[in-house]
Amino acid sequence: MIARIRLAASLAIAGAALAVAQPALADGDVVCSSGPRENWKSINDLKKAAWLERWEIIETRIEGDCYEVYARNERGQVLEAFFHPVTLEKLVVFRRGSEVYRKRGFTG
Amino acid sequence: MIRKLRPLVWLLLALPALAMVYQLASGATFAFKLLHPTGELALRLMVVALMVGPLITIFGRNRFLLGWLALRRNIGVAAFIYGLMHLVFYVMDMGAIGPIIDEFWLPGIWSGWLSFALMLVAASISADWAVKALGPWWQRLQYAVYGAVLIGALHWYWLDNNAGPALVHLAPLFVLWTLRAVVKRTRRARKKAKEKESLA
Ligand code: HEM
């Protein structure tokens, strides 16, 4: 009986530890340092920026403090691109998780 | 009891699939958006199927865990069906074979195919007659599911560049596997001590 309680307790503690550790593990998120939302350009402007890349947009969304665009390029490759919401600069682009573009000096 | 429960469990397992197909047919969503939920569900269900084994070793046989065990194969088959839907939506989204071949060797993609291949091994022998026909080999071949889970999590990590979600899904298994090892070791030690006592 005591052994079981001990087990249940260690399960609970392990679970809690993992829950606490989780945000620390989330290190892959792109950070744009874009400031308050009211200064952001509109999603329509974002779509225009992607259009200027000659991409076919699959989906746009807000990811953390970045604009994110899923799109297909002219070669049919699926890209996941992060744009700065204020400057609409293309910051970093992934292809199925592999980085294929990064703006010079961007470390976020 | 389980016999009565099984249709209900099947319905429960099928609900997300039905919702997805309905949303797709009604134009409320599109194939690309369904990649995440189908992949996640395939992985989650495999984890749920793998959890019951160590739980029984740790806590012993009780009605709840035995019921879970009896449903394990159903849960595994459901996981495979979501994996298959994931693949179908992937092909629908890509639309042509050229781009699929073109990106096959990206880490985030071949890992998905490998995980799927391992699921296919386990799922293809899920019928009752296969269990009987394969004997001890059935269990051995089912170990492919471990690989499917671990590589599925790797697939997620490579796609996302973020270990968090994949690790959270593996965490229950890591915790249970560790506890099972601990419990087994203490039991063995206790048994040895008893044997010594009875000899003395
Ligand atoms: C059949 C081969 C597979 C292919 C080609 C494939 C491909 C993909 C693609 C393209 C995505 C979308 C990523 C995005 O939204 O940007 C994805 C997501 C996902 N896949 Fe697979 N996959 C395969 C098999 C599997 C299997 C067997 C599992 C389960 C173990 C799995 C689990 C996941 C998960 C959890 C996600 C969500 C990750 C995310 O949205 O970032 N996949 N997969």
Side-chain angles (χ1 to χ4, degrees):
Chain A
M1 190 59 208
I2 288 181
R4 278 197 196 175
I5 291 172
R6 213 178 276 162
L7 265 180
S10 35
L11 265 174
I13 291 170
L18 277 161
V20 172
Q22 201 253 329
L25 289 167
D27 55 357
D29 294 338
V30 178
V31 178
C32 292
S33 314
S34 52
R37 289 257 172 111
E38 60 258 30
N39 300 333
W40 289 17
K41 297 265 180 10
S42 71
I43 290 279
N44 258 335
D45 290 339
L46 170 68
K47 287 184 175 162
K48 202 185 288 171
W51 181 78
L52 286 171
E53 301 278 343
R54 300 169 164 225
W55 293 343
E56 179 199 330
I57 298 170
I58 301 171
E59 198 187 356
T60 60
R61 38 170 125 130
I62 295 167
E63 188 67 46
D65 66 345
C66 301
Y67 274 155
E68 185 185 15
V69 178
Y70 280 99
R72 247 175 259 279
N73 67 11
E74 290 166 309
R75 291 161 62 192
Q77 300 174 336
V78 177
L79 304 174
E80 181 188 8
F82 290 84
F83 286 82
H84 194 284
V86 177
T87 65
L88 289 181
E89 263 181 306
K90 186 173 68 175
L91 298 174
V92 58
V93 182
F94 299 97
R95 183 177 174 218
R96 301 304 193 193
S98 306
E99 191 174 304
V100 291
Y101 170 85
R102 182 173 284 270
K103 191 194 138 201
R104 276 191 99 165
F106 177 67
T107 53
Chain B
M1 180 62 192
I2 288 299
R3 200 170 290 176
K4 269 194 220 151
L5 211 58
R6 208 182 297 272
L8 192 71
V9 170
W10 265 123
L11 185 68
L12 217 64
L13 290 169
L15 275 180
L18 294 175
M20 286 177 200
V21 171
Y22 175 76
Q23 284 181 326
L24 194 66
S26 69
T29 190
F30 47 95
F32 182 86
K33 277 201 179 181
L34 292 173
L35 284 172
H36 184 95
T38 47
E40 192 174 82
L41 215 50
L43 191 65
R44 277 187 188 171
L45 290 173
M46 277 195 285
V47 169
V48 168
L50 287 184
M51 277 170 72
V52 63
L55 277 172
I56 285 179
T57 312
I58 296 164
F59 295 104
R61 293 173 172 263
N62 58 45
R63 267 178 50 185
F64 175 70
L65 290 179
L66 285 178
W68 187 345
L69 184 69
L71 293 166
R72 176 163 67 173
R73 201 145 39 104
N74 304 80
I75 298 169
V77 169
F80 176 71
I81 291 171
Y82 282 101
L84 199 62
M85 287 176 75
H86 188 66
L87 180 56
V88 168
F89 292 146
Y90 172 73
V91 171
M92 276 172 72
D93 176 64
M94 296 299 278
I97 193 78
I100 291 177
I101 294 171
D102 182 49
E103 70 176 21
F104 180 85
W105 286 110
L106 293 174
I109 295 299
W110 68 252
S111 53
W113 285 102
L114 181 56
S115 175
F116 182 76
L118 290 165
M119 285 184 91
L120 186 61
V121 169
S124 60
I125 54 167
S126 59
D128 285 329
W129 61 264
V131 182
K132 277 194 201 116
L134 286 165
W137 272 99
W138 192 83
Q139 183 59 55
R140 274 172 224 160
L141 287 170
Q142 287 299 317
Y143 285 130
V145 179
Y146 286 75
V149 165
L150 294 175
I151 292 166
L154 193 64
H155 168 62
W156 197 345
Y157 168 59
W158 275 338
L159 283 171
D160 243 19
N161 280 307
N162 185 348
L167 277 180
V168 165
H169 282 77
L170 291 184
L173 288 178
F174 285 154
V175 170
L176 288 176
W177 288 339
T178 310
L179 281 176
R180 173 165 67 179
V182 171
V183 165
K184 272 190 173 168
R185 185 180 289 183
T186 32
R187 274 184 206 153
R188 229 178 291 140
R190 231 180 263 161
K191 207 170 147 198
K192 256 194 194 152
K194 254 193 197 152
E195 275 167 12
K196 256 190 198 159
E197 228 169 73
S198 61
L199 280 176

